[in-house]
Amino acid sequence: SLQSQEEVCDLLHAAPFQNILPRVYIKEGERLEVRMKRLEAKYAPLHLVPLIERLGTPQQIAIAREGDLLTKERLCCGLSMFEVILTRIRSYLQDPIWRGPPPTNGVMHVDECVEFHRLWSAMQFVYCIPVGTNEFTAEQCFGDGLNWAGCSIIVLLGQQRRFDLFDFCYHLLKVQRQDGKDEIIKNVPLKKMADRIRKYQILNNEVFAILNKYMKSVETDSSTVEHVRCFQPPIHQSLATTC
């Protein structure tokens, strides 16, 4: 992701100020240790922590040491700010309004639009409607930011599978692929809208893949266990009355 690229770039920029230098090319007969010592001496004036320890105030020294430690830990452990942001956003989604009341069937909401993924499906349906002349699409106005926002909340709420199953747009796309109709319904060309839905679906899947990759690295072992519930098969009413 772009955030990871930015963090790698930050680490590379910080390296000379932490006395982290790459191995140099040596000619035949040269000693690596000698070349590295020369290079370290050359960059010694840039080494930030010793410089601040000599010239800075106690507060500046503490800040420099903490920043140096954080950068080194990030380099060794592969820490990512993106994971921290996702975890922080998930802590904001504790209100029951995001999930709705418990389902009446004890399994999941089917027809009710009380979970966030249903709201996002309605919004995505509107975004996928082809625009008219001199009108702008959602992606022209906001890029893929809306997709990232909606998909992030869906993943953090654990509603991705229900979104893939019940999404209005995905259902329309499946139907259009089967019947192949290319009609204009209420000024909306079906084929053109199906093409837009397919592009949104591809983008959503890419966003979901990135989000799940980062979220799995921050989840504990207990939270990654998939809980499976077993249900008895339905019994016909005639058999239920005779039992």
Side-chain angles (χ1 to χ4, degrees):
S1 65
L2 182 60
Q3 182 68 40
S4 298
Q5 296 178 11
E6 291 287 342
E7 290 175 351
V8 171
C9 186
D10 291 342
L11 291 175
L12 293 176
H13 286 163
F17 300 94
Q18 295 183 289
N19 202 32
I20 301 175
L21 306 175
R23 292 173 63 90
V24 295
Y25 171 77
I26 59 175
K27 299 179 181 179
E28 186 177 356
E30 287 185 318
R31 296 179 58 187
L32 178 62
E33 294 81 3
V34 176
R35 289 290 304 275
M36 289 302 298
K37 286 183 178 179
R38 291 176 183 173
L39 195 63
E40 290 174 358
K42 180 180 178 181
Y43 282 92
L46 293 180
H47 198 180
L48 185 63
V49 174
L51 181 64
I52 298 299
E53 288 176 344
R54 292 198 312 268
L55 305 176
T57 64
Q59 183 180 11
Q60 292 172 337
I61 294 173
I63 294 174
R65 289 174 177 173
E66 290 175 359
D68 182 71
L69 178 61
L70 174 62
T71 305
K72 288 181 178 178
E73 290 292 332
R74 215 168 72 182
L75 181 65
C76 296
C77 304
L79 300 179
S80 172
M81 184 64 69
F82 190 50
E83 298 173 5
V84 178
I85 293 173
L86 291 177
T87 305
R88 180 70 61 86
I89 295 175
R90 184 166 58 178
S91 67
Y92 300 151
L93 304 176
Q94 302 301 322
D95 195 296
I97 194 173
W98 295 98
R99 296 176 172 84
T104 55
N105 59 13
V107 183
M108 69 174 64
H109 297 287
V110 179
D111 297 325
E112 300 84 357
C113 297
V114 294
E115 293 184 301
F116 173 78
H117 74 90
R118 301 292 284 189
L119 171 63
W120 181 252
S121 290
M123 297 172 63
Q124 182 173 259
F125 187 88
V126 176
Y127 298 150
C128 289
I129 297 176
V131 299
T133 307
N134 299 325
E135 294 180 344
F136 296 99
T137 62
E139 55 268 25
Q140 287 175 324
C141 295
F142 307 106
D144 58 359
L146 289 174
N147 297 76
W148 273 98
C151 293
S152 297
I153 296 176
I154 289 174
V155 169
L156 295 175
L157 291 172
Q159 299 177 3
Q160 179 187 345
R161 293 185 179 180
R162 295 195 290 279
F163 170 76
D164 291 334
L165 181 63
F166 293 119
D167 182 64
F168 309 135
C169 292
Y170 293 175
H171 174 71
L172 177 62
L173 179 62
K174 293 177 183 177
V175 173
Q176 200 278 335
R177 281 178 171 177
Q178 291 297 323
D179 58 28
K181 290 185 177 181
D182 189 12
E183 302 177 1
I184 298 178
I185 308 297
K186 295 183 179 181
N187 298 325
V188 177
L190 293 181
K191 181 63 168 60
K192 191 173 182 180
M193 184 171 182
D195 293 339
R196 284 184 53 77
I197 293 174
R198 178 54 183 160
K199 292 179 181 178
Y200 264 64
Q201 187 181 45
I202 294 173
L203 177 58
N204 289 342
N205 290 339
E206 292 177 351
V207 173
F208 282 141
I210 295 174
L211 291 170
N212 287 321
K213 174 185 175 182
Y214 279 93
M215 290 309 299
K216 287 180 180 178
S217 62
V218 299
E219 290 177 345
T220 59
D221 293 337
S222 59
S223 62
T224 56
V225 176
E226 186 172 0
H227 300 281
V228 179
R229 292 180 59 186
C230 298
F231 299 92
Q232 294 294 332
I235 302 176
H236 194 270
Q237 187 176 1
S238 61
L239 297 177
T241 56
T242 58
C243 294

